[in-house]
Amino acid sequence: MVRLSENNLRVPSMKVLLAGGAGFIGSHLCEKLLEMGNEVICVDDLSSGLEENLSVAKTNDNFRFIKGDITEVVEVNEKLDVVMNLASPASPKDYINYPIKTLEVGSIGTKRLLDLAYQNNAVFLLTSTSEVYGDPLEHPQTEDYWGNVNPIGPRSVYDEAKRFAEALTFSYYRETGLQIRVARIFNTYGPRIRPSDGRVVSNFIAQAICDSDLTIYGDGTQTRSLCYIDDQVAGLIKLAFSDCVGPVNIGNPQEISIADLAHTIIRLVGSKSQLIYEPLPIDDPVRRCPDISRAMLHIGWSPTVSLEVGLGSTIDWMRAKLQRDS
Ligand code: UDP
């Protein structure tokens, strides 16, 4: 049985299979794991991830990239210590455009990775989501809250895929004794978030840099709580290498309305943009904020990067990216 702790990360190194490693969060996680001395095999079908996200990881001899879809057979003939599942479309724009694929990735894909972890007697980390809480009726959301999800709405393809993935992961834990860790990721932002990703931070920053109007969906009073990528990765690593099964909320409890976020980004960019209002998407959650007591208590994690500092570095990265791509 693999026993993991933060202190034995460097010696001996772990062999980690990271599905979805070319994505926004996955690619940062690859780099951090490599920096700690682990070997990383990244599997990604590049449907929403980008090979350019792996340019730093690829310079490390302990890194390998396999282009592959986790809903198909994932063949790795090496002994794995940890299997991490970050593979899924995660932006509403992406999962609403690929509803069936999103459900397949969360169900069939997660099952394939669970089987792989079981065959290797490896630890399995599932990255679930705050979307399991749907449009929450309790605030802030603790892990004990069961959620308020419309099971047939357009967002259900992601919400129910992740809820199924959690149920399946816990079934392996109970039935087979597989070591599992379940994270519920809240809204995360930072460098490498795709400018055309469709999510609020990337849309607003790209719009503000171009002095285009910022598109507020609804009246802008809905809230989100935004976690900077470095904090998110630190939380996932702490969880993966802890003894905590979870589920554990990994997010920043600093809550902000979408209208206030728009004004903050306009100010930080120094933009001339105005706000325009568009219809609120169906089932868009009204409020979202993690209770992170469990993360603080069980894995000793809390975020450290303030919204203004995190937005500042995201804006710098996005300016450079838009310039490069123009
Ligand atoms: N949103 C917005 N304008 C945009 C993109 C998103 O007002 O250009 C809103 C969206 O309706 C939601 C919030 O911002 O209320 C966060 O949306 P996002 O797609 O980033 O993530 P979600 O938390 O909904 O998955």
Side-chain angles (χ1 to χ4, degrees), residues 92 155 187 199-200 203 215-217 222 224 258 284 288:
R155 294 179 89 99
N187 296 65
R199 277 181 282 196
V200 68
N203 274 6
T215 49
I216 305 262
Y217 302 161
Q222 74 271 34
R224 291 296 185 271
I258 295 306
D284 197 283
R288 182 183 286 157

Side-chain angles (χ1 to χ4, degrees), residues 123-142:
V123 170
F124 180 80
L125 172 86
L126 174 70
T127 57
S128 182
T129 168
S130 56
E131 282 280 330
V132 300
Y133 303 122
D135 188 4
L137 303 175
E138 283 184 19
H139 203 74
Q141 292 82 54
T142 67

